[in-house]
Amino acid sequence: MGKVRFKGKQPKGFNSVLKKAVGKAFDEVVPVLDRQFTEEIQTAKWGWPNITQRKNGSEANYVRDIVDMGDLMRSQQNRRINNFHHRWVWDVEYSSVVHNGATLKGGGQILDRPWTKTAEKVVKPGDFVSDIIRRELNG
């Protein structure tokens, strides 16, 4: 978002108007981003070097989703910290390895599947929030 500069005194009540606009922007963007995180996990788009048998019995090909048993997807939680912060957590012990990848002791690699980064590229939350704040401030 671009810088906003005021010459002289800020309009009366501007801080409260801005805080309200930011709160509304977060109220609108959070569910969109939340759904997109889930969509990224469910979409067969993640490359893998070989075909594997999943715990659920299905065969996963070279391009796959990252659902498997569904624990990662079901563990998704989000919490509003305040008007300016919102936090998502995937509360399974392997979520970081799935998202960021890993190097195994024997030298093998687990490829990263950064579903939060791909979701942000789709939703563009900064642009989304900026547009809403601009709309709210302009009436």
Side-chain angles (χ1 to χ4, degrees), residues 7 20-21 32 40 54 67 73 75 90 100 102:
K7 289 188 177 184
K20 183 178 178 185
V32 174
E40 296 298 312
R54 289 187 160 171
V67 174
M73 190 170 58
S75 76
W90 287 265
N100 301 324

Side-chain angles (χ1 to χ4, degrees), residues 3 9 19 24 26 33 40 52 56-57 60 63 71 73-74 77 83-84 88 112-113 133:
K3 292 183 178 181
K9 294 180 99 176
K19 284 180 183 179
K24 183 165 179 49
F26 269 80
L33 197 51
E40 296 298 312
T52 57
N56 68 9
V63 177
D71 295 339
M73 190 170 58
R74 281 190 302 275
Q77 303 167 37
N83 273 0
F84 304 100
W88 274 268
D112 64 326
R113 277 89 24 108
I133 290 171

